[in-house]
Amino acid sequence: MAKIFDFKLVFTQIPQLLKYLPVTLELSILAMLFGLLFGLLLAIIKIKKVPGLQKVAAFYISIIRGTPILVQLYIAYFGIPMFFKWFNLKFGTDIRVADIPGFFYAVFAMATNEAAYNAEVIRSALQSVGEGQVEAANALGMTYFQALRRIILPEAFAVALPTLGNAFISVIKSTSLAFTCAVVEITAQGKIIGGMTYRYFEVYVSLAIIYWIITIVIEQIVKFIEKRIAIPEQPEPFTE
């Protein structure tokens, strides 16, 4: 009689799953990186109230935050090839849609999703920087983007880091849906192993352990960085 739960199998199949961990991490890092860059752009547009673009940014954030990431992955996987085919017919180009890997669609969907959430986090962090510092930068002849790079962003990053760390953990867990774009990462590999062994429960327990350990490692890294870049508190004035 087969065991109801094979405890040993949970740990023996972890090395097979870890072979695809680089795919999970690469997908997470790229999605977070592009999500931060695009999110910063959206945040600046909203802060500066750029005519025309402000409403576009608000609409984009609303529609992305109002739809599930799974739906967005499917739209990217099926919609982008349709756009490229239309583009080829319209402009006579020869974009080989079949040669575009599913990894590209997964990164695109996850980055655009993350940008909508990061935009609000970054906007709040940028606005937390004191107006006096921005005015001092202007008095020194700095442009807004110079002040942004040298003063505002470093301080805003320290404020936003804990939230962005949690966002990165969410991105890592969201990669488990990348199989919808034909990307084989650790969860997709778990499905493959489960299909061969019919021990799905053990596979998912193995995946849970892997994601849990990754989360702990990321949390510790974020805490370490947070301590290193923490803005020191102002010393209390000396009184006799």
Side-chain angles (χ1 to χ4, degrees):
M1 182 177 176
K3 293 182 180 179
I4 295 177
F5 178 73
D6 191 339
F7 186 79
K8 182 180 178 181
L9 185 60
V10 170
F11 294 96
T12 56
Q13 63 195 359
I14 284 179
Q16 300 176 55
L17 297 170
L18 289 177
K19 290 179 182 178
Y20 291 86
L21 180 59
V23 179
T24 295
L25 294 178
E26 184 181 2
L27 179 57
S28 304
I29 292 169
L30 288 175
M32 190 66 186
L33 178 61
F34 289 119
L36 282 172
L37 294 175
F38 191 29
L40 175 61
L41 178 62
L42 291 170
I44 293 173
I45 288 172
K46 294 194 72 174
I47 290 172
K48 288 297 183 181
K49 298 179 180 178
V50 181
L53 292 180
Q54 183 187 6
K55 290 185 177 181
V56 172
F59 175 76
Y60 168 82
I61 292 171
S62 175
I63 196 169
I64 293 295
R65 296 181 67 171
T67 54
I69 179 63
L70 183 61
V71 173
Q72 294 166 21
L73 283 161
Y74 277 126
I75 289 175
Y77 188 60
F78 293 106
I80 295 176
M82 291 175 63
F83 169 78
F84 283 148
K85 289 177 182 178
W86 170 85
F87 193 86
N88 285 340
L89 292 172
K90 184 74 174 179
F91 299 99
T93 55
D94 187 27
I95 301 172
R96 299 181 64 85
V97 178
D99 293 339
I100 301 174
F103 187 86
F104 167 80
Y105 303 123
V107 170
F108 178 86
M110 294 181 66
T112 52
N113 177 273
E114 196 59 29
Y117 290 92
N118 287 344
E120 295 303 306
V121 174
I122 295 171
R123 181 178 63 84
S124 299
L126 292 176
Q127 291 179 326
S128 70
V129 178
E131 285 291 332
Q133 297 186 65
V134 179
E135 291 173 1
N138 292 334
L140 291 172
M142 291 186 188
T143 64
Y144 176 76
F145 288 101
Q146 287 176 327
L148 186 69
R149 179 171 60 87
R150 298 179 182 180
I151 299 172
I152 302 173
L153 277 181
E155 289 194 28
F157 179 71
V159 173
L161 181 60
T163 307
L164 292 178
N166 289 332
F168 184 55
I169 290 172
S170 296
V171 170
I172 291 174
K173 290 185 286 187
S174 296
T175 59
S176 61
L177 299 173
F179 69 89
T180 57
C181 296
V183 177
V184 180
E185 36 67 61
I186 57 175
T187 299
Q189 178 62 13
K191 290 176 180 290
I192 294 170
I193 294 173
M196 292 187 297
T197 62
Y198 295 101
R199 308 292 301 200
Y200 285 99
F201 185 71
E202 287 85 349
V203 169
Y204 289 123
V205 171
S206 301
L207 287 169
I209 292 171
I210 293 172
Y211 281 115
W212 179 44
I213 292 173
I214 293 172
T215 299
I216 292 173
V217 171
I218 298 298
E219 286 176 346
Q220 295 306 311
I221 292 173
V222 170
K223 286 180 181 179
F224 174 76
I225 297 174
E226 191 177 357
K227 288 180 181 179
R228 294 297 299 269
I229 67 172
I231 301 171
E233 295 183 3
Q234 297 254 349
E236 294 183 7
F238 176 75
T239 55
E240 293 185 0

